[in-house]
Amino acid sequence: MQPMTPEEIAAHDREIEQAEEKAAAEAKQERYEKSGVPPRYWPESFDTYKVDTTERQKAASVVTQFVKDVKNNKPNILVLLGPVGTGKTHLVCAALREIGGQYMTAAELVEEIRHTKAFNANLTEKQIVDKHAKAPVSVLDEVGRGINATDEKYTMYLYINALYNLRGSALITSNYSKSEFLNYVGAAVADRLVEYGSIIEIGGESYRRELRRSNDHNTK
């Protein structure tokens, strides 16, 4: 067998590199889809986030920095606030794609905690919130939209306290304003967030309406 030429060696190495890159991308996508992220967000990433206003530029920059900090072992809690449809879930899911971890809505976490009261429960409240706090990043979406505010507030205390004590990283979203959110979660949670986390607000027109207009235009 004739030895390969330098060009053939370079082409072979590139083929191996491309195969490894493809396998890594497929593994990353599989991990993302198994994280609990809703299927509608499976194709989304930071690259598909529409940065067309100053507020969205700031939000994307802050979440991107959050990802860098977590990758550099700098835990943090970042709360994204703003009206319905301003791209909050898109951003936190994009971060989850990069870091790995677990997605859930606040209502889903409330339900998990509620199940610990059953006589055949396998986990305690503490074990559940600790499990989420130990994820590379825990995403808690749609705080304040549950039916039972009392249960959700109690769950938020357990969750934030676990993140605080275990130095976990989380992304939290809510449609409340900053003052409304801090009032909703209560003094104990607010105190921990002020010390350990950051809160940003995203305003502007509905992100979903703009995307629909753009899609409608592209199909004409």
Side-chain angles (χ1 to χ4, degrees):
M1 179 181 292
Q2 291 291 329
M4 291 192 295
T5 65
E7 291 78 11
E8 290 173 331
I9 293 173
H12 180 260
D13 289 346
R14 181 56 185 159
E15 285 180 4
I16 294 176
E17 183 180 343
Q18 289 175 336
E20 290 175 344
E21 289 174 353
K22 181 180 178 182
E26 289 174 348
K28 186 177 183 180
Q29 182 68 25
E30 182 180 7
R31 179 193 70 188
Y32 183 58
E33 293 180 8
K34 289 181 176 179
S35 68
V37 168
R40 69 170 294 143
Y41 291 100
W42 287 357
E44 307 298 356
S45 65
F46 284 122
D47 291 337
T48 63
Y49 182 71
K50 191 175 181 180
V51 182
D52 56 353
T53 69
T54 301
E55 287 182 315
R56 287 178 192 154
Q57 281 184 326
K58 178 183 177 182
S61 176
V62 170
V63 177
T64 301
Q65 185 60 50
F66 171 91
V67 169
K68 292 178 181 178
D69 288 343
V70 173
K71 287 182 175 180
N72 289 323
N73 297 315
K74 297 177 182 177
N76 188 17
I77 300 173
L78 178 60
V79 182
L80 275 65
L81 304 174
V84 172
T86 47
K88 302 182 297 295
T89 300
H90 186 143
L91 280 174
V92 297
C93 287
L96 192 60
R97 174 188 285 280
E98 296 302 316
I99 308 171
Q102 188 66 42
Y103 170 98
M104 60 189 162
T105 63
E108 288 170 337
L109 181 57
V110 169
E111 192 62 25
E112 276 195 71
I113 295 297
R114 187 179 291 129
H115 284 165
T116 65
K117 306 297 191 296
F119 74 93
N120 60 345
N122 295 319
L123 298 174
T124 65
E125 292 177 345
K126 184 177 186 305
Q127 287 172 325
I128 286 174
V129 292
D130 283 359
K131 173 189 69 174
H132 291 296
K134 290 176 181 177
V137 64
S138 174
V139 169
L140 189 66
D141 204 7
E142 299 183 347
V143 171
R145 296 187 68 178
I147 296 174
N148 193 323
T150 300
D151 284 355
E152 186 171 271
K153 290 177 183 180
Y154 174 67
T155 298
M156 282 296 294
Y157 171 76
L158 294 175
Y159 175 69
I160 297 297
N161 196 53
L163 289 164
Y164 181 83
N165 289 329
L166 296 172
R167 296 192 63 76
S169 293
L171 288 157
I172 299 169
T173 78
S174 175
N175 296 334
Y176 286 134
S177 67
K178 184 175 181 179
S179 60
E180 289 170 337
F181 179 80
L182 292 177
N183 182 64
Y184 179 76
V185 298
V189 172
D191 184 63
R192 283 163 173 74
L193 286 174
V194 169
E195 177 186 345
Y196 185 52
S198 304
I199 299 175
I200 66 167
E201 295 185 79
I202 308 175
E205 187 179 354
S206 171
Y207 184 73
R208 296 191 188 109
R209 283 200 297 269
E210 291 182 24
L211 287 179
R212 280 198 295 270
R213 281 203 300 268
S214 177
N215 290 337
D216 290 343
H217 176 76
N218 291 335
T219 57
K220 290 180 179 179

